[in-house]
């Protein structure tokens, strides 16, 4: 672990191409306009989450978890300062040690260790938290629990690659799926269990602050190979099965849903759970009824675990067409989910021509699916993008990433584990950098082509919709490297570039790196803003030479903590 800026800088800055052919413009611009210096926020903001602020949340209604959803601060209340790291902050351990140990200074909360001690979630030992891999539902450890699931679900051969963990705790399920080459997107609300999602990200596991409430999940239709709830406290039977319908929307045909804990096997467990038999019986009845309406097939029930499988297509669900309770969603765009109200309706399958055809197209096993042409492209459902254009995009990203590695030799060494691509397109950057040592949160901006995120998931990558005019659903200091391809051009005249850069600073770790790719004029403006932000930066030419208008801006965030000055 290191807490000096020089450790990061000496590996990156000397290998930068300091020469840029637009220095004249840049220096003229900086000289003519005074650079705004951004001051540190006060120490009480070290864990500030602008769209999940606790005080603000309490002013919203409790029903349907509305108060735990995104509620961003209005424009005039935005903090335009640099969110500080807590005193003693250190670079996290590298994976796989980070799976089991998190430095106490980085997330100094002991509440979970007391509250969850019996459940074996987390233990405080000296200067670190230790995660034994336990959980409420897996006292024998997550590995044994996953073994049980894998006896039913094909995890070993790459058939199941993407997973959704709803109400994930400290994300031990996602952490232990890693060695099986399954990537889980985990979410949990920012609530009384301080920093669950922060612990997940400190461990190096993909997670966001989120909740199943009244708004649709920020994921595309038919995204995940499996979804999971382990004592996640989501009322699955409520609202006419609306939450199960939302899981069904994001589950791929043939995908699996796992429910462990109440009410499964309530006859044996109701006393231990200290809940009335009748309540649990009714809860299970409602879940079974909703699953039947969704035409899911129950594959397994043993102990406290039940597993259902979604059918491959509508052919096997003819009966529900006549069922008066089956209300089908009317929308033309099932991926239009950003701040859209969740509805108790069933998302129709794409049409098929035979009973064994996979609706929406069959995926190859991973890793083959990473570079195969995804069904959404080959079927023509992404307008204006041919298989050739898609493959050309892949080739370009392989070339760009090769050039990035020449600039920053640490890119694929494990130094950067949590990586974000702010404008992911088809996930070309993530595919080119794919490795067991890292993961990429592929963000598709809500003002970009929405249906591209579906392609990202068909490649076996994970991601989320987001509007960068607002703060991202994460804690400060949760990403090691941020990549932004033509993001500032995309948001030009949409919102303030200062705000986007301050948000990047909030979610980037001290000594973290940034790669911004855009046209030179945009980058010069961006470089000017970040010169007031405690980042060191360099503008470098496109790999094809100085005459290409597109350039790359590389930056490193300096190490500094609350009540300290920048390190240089």
């Amino acid at each position: 672990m290191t807490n000096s800026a020089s450790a990061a800088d000496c590996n990156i800055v000397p290998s930068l191409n300091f020469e840029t052919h637009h220095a004249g413009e840049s220096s003229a611009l900086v000289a003519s306009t005074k650079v705004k210096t951004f001051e540190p926020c006060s120490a009480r903001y070290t864990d500030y989450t602008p769209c999940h602020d606790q005080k603000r949340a309490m002013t919203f209604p409790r029903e349907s978890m509305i108060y735990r959803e995104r509620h961003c601060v209005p424009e005039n209340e935005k903090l335009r300062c640099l969110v500080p790291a807590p005193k003693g902050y250190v670079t996290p351990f590298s994976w796989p040690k980070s799976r089991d140990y998190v430095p106490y200074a980085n997330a100094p909360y002991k509440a979970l260790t007391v509250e969850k001690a019996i459940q074996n979630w987390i233990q405080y030992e000296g200067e670190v938290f230790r995660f034994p891999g336990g959980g409420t539902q897996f006292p024998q450890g997550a590995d044994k629990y996953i073994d049980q699931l894998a006896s039913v679900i094909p995890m070993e051969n790459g058939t199941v690659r993407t997973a959704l963990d709803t109400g994930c705790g400290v994300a031990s399920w996602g952490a232990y799926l890693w060695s099986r080459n399954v990537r889980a997107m985990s979410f949990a609300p920012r609530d009384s269990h301080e920093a669950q999602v922060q612990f997940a990200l400190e461990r190096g596991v993909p997670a966001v602050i989120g909740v199943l409430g009244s708004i649709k999940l920020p994921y595309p239709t038919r995204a995940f190979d499996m979804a999971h709830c382990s004592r996640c406290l989501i009322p699955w039977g409520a609202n006419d099965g609306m939450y199960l319908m939302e899981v069904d929307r994001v589950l791929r045909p043939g995908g699996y849903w796992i429910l462990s804990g109440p009410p499964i096997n309530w006859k044996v467990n109701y006393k231990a759970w200290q809940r009335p038999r009748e309540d649990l019986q009714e809860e299970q009845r409602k879940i079974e009824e909703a699953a039947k309406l969704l035409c899911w097939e129950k594959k397994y029930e043993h102990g406290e675990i039940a597993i259902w499988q979604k059918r491959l297509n509508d052919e096997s669900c003819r009966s529900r067409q006549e069922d008066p309770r089956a209300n089908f969603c009317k929308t033309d765009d099932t991926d239009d989910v950003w701040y859209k109200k969740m509805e108790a309706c069933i998302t129709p399958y794409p049409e098929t021509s035979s009973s064994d055809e996979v609706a929406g197209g069959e995926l190859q096993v991973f890793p083959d699916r990473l570079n195969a042409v995804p069904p959404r492209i080959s079927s023509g459902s992404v307008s204006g993008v041919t298989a050739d254009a898609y493959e050309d995009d892949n080739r370009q990203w392989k070339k760009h990433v090769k050039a990035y590695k020449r600039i920053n030799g640490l890119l694929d060494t494990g130094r950067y584990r949590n990586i974000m691509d702010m404008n992911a397109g088809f996930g070309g950057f993530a595919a080119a950098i794919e490795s067991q040592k890292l993961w990429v949160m592929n963000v598709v901006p809500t003002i970009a082509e929405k249906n591209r995120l579906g392609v990202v998931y068909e490649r076996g990558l994970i991601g989320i919709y987001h509007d960068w005019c607002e703060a991202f659903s994460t804690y400060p200091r949760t990403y090691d490297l941020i990549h932004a391809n033509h993001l500032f051009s995309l948001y030009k005249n949409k919102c303030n570039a200062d705000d986007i850069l301050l948000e990047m600073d909030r979610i980037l770790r001290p000594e973290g790196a940034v790669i911004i790719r855009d046209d030179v004029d945009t980058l010069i403006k961006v470089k000017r803003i970040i010169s007031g932000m405690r980042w060191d930066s360099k503008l470098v030419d496109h790999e094809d030479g100085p005459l290409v208008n597109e350039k790359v801006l590389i930056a490193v965030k300096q190490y500094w903590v609350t009540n300290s000055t920048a390190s240089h």
Side-chain angles (χ1 to χ4, degrees), residues 40-44 46 82 84-87 534 560-566:
C41 312
S42 109
R44 72 177 184 276
T46 54
L82 305 173
K87 275 205 169 88
R534 306 189 179 196
W560 62 277
V561 297
T562 184
N563 300 336
S564 79
T565 52

Side-chain angles (χ1 to χ4, degrees), residues 307-318:
I307 301 175
W308 285 262
Q309 186 175 20
K310 181 174 173 173
R311 309 274 179 168
L312 292 180
N313 56 40
D314 232 352
E315 293 288 315
S316 33
C317 304
R318 284 280 164 240

Side-chain angles (χ1 to χ4, degrees), residues 88 127 138 195 231 325 335 347 371 476 556-557:
E127 292 305 300
F138 18 98
R231 288 202 174 204
R325 296 167 307 162
D335 290 344
T347 304
N371 290 306
V556 179
K557 179 175 171 176

